[in-house]
Amino acid sequence: MQIDKLRGRELDQLFKAILSLKDLEECYRFFDDLCTVNEIQSLSQRLEVARMLREGNTYHKIETETGASTATISRVKRCLNYGNDAYALVLDRLEKENKEEKTEE
């Protein structure tokens, strides 16, 4: 993993802090303090690109709908194909959660 080079107390602290957040509102508050608006937009854009790639959307459609560059789309695609399967893990969980919420309605 690329991130292994950064492993240590500070990164552990960051990840533990994120894992300690209890709900969506706490996430909004924490990330508002932690990141710039552009950083948050970049992170959320990458996740949306991953979702759209998994659905089989074209680069053109993804670029048009998200504003992501082809370089960003390519990087996300590379992670989907050769990464740690973390995008798939998270997107599968979100999809399951969305289905459960719709069932409860």
Side-chain angles (χ1 to χ4, degrees), residues 6 13 26 30 42 54 59-60 62 98:
L6 302 175
Q13 177 180 257
E26 284 188 6
F30 181 68
S42 292
R54 280 189 11 145
Y59 272 42
H60 178 71
I62 296 169
N98 287 337

Side-chain angles (χ1 to χ4, degrees), residues 14-84:
L14 172 62
F15 291 159
K16 286 176 183 178
I18 293 168
L19 289 170
S20 77
L21 299 170
K22 305 238 185 311
D23 57 29
L24 199 55
E25 186 57 35
E26 284 188 6
C27 285
Y28 270 96
R29 290 172 42 213
F30 181 68
F31 279 90
D32 188 41
D33 286 349
L34 181 68
C35 301
T36 66
V37 171
N38 287 342
E39 290 167 336
I40 295 168
Q41 285 175 326
S42 292
L43 294 171
S44 63
Q45 181 187 67
R46 288 179 190 167
L47 186 58
E48 179 62 6
V49 167
R51 186 193 66 76
M52 292 181 75
L53 283 168
R54 280 189 11 145
E55 288 183 352
N57 289 285
T58 64
Y59 272 42
H60 178 71
K61 182 171 182 173
I62 296 169
E63 190 175 12
T64 301
E65 289 190 17
T66 67
S69 67
T70 55
T72 295
I73 298 168
S74 294
R75 183 184 185 287
V76 171
K77 185 173 184 175
R78 191 169 43 253
C79 288
L80 281 170
N81 292 332
Y82 306 108
N84 300 300

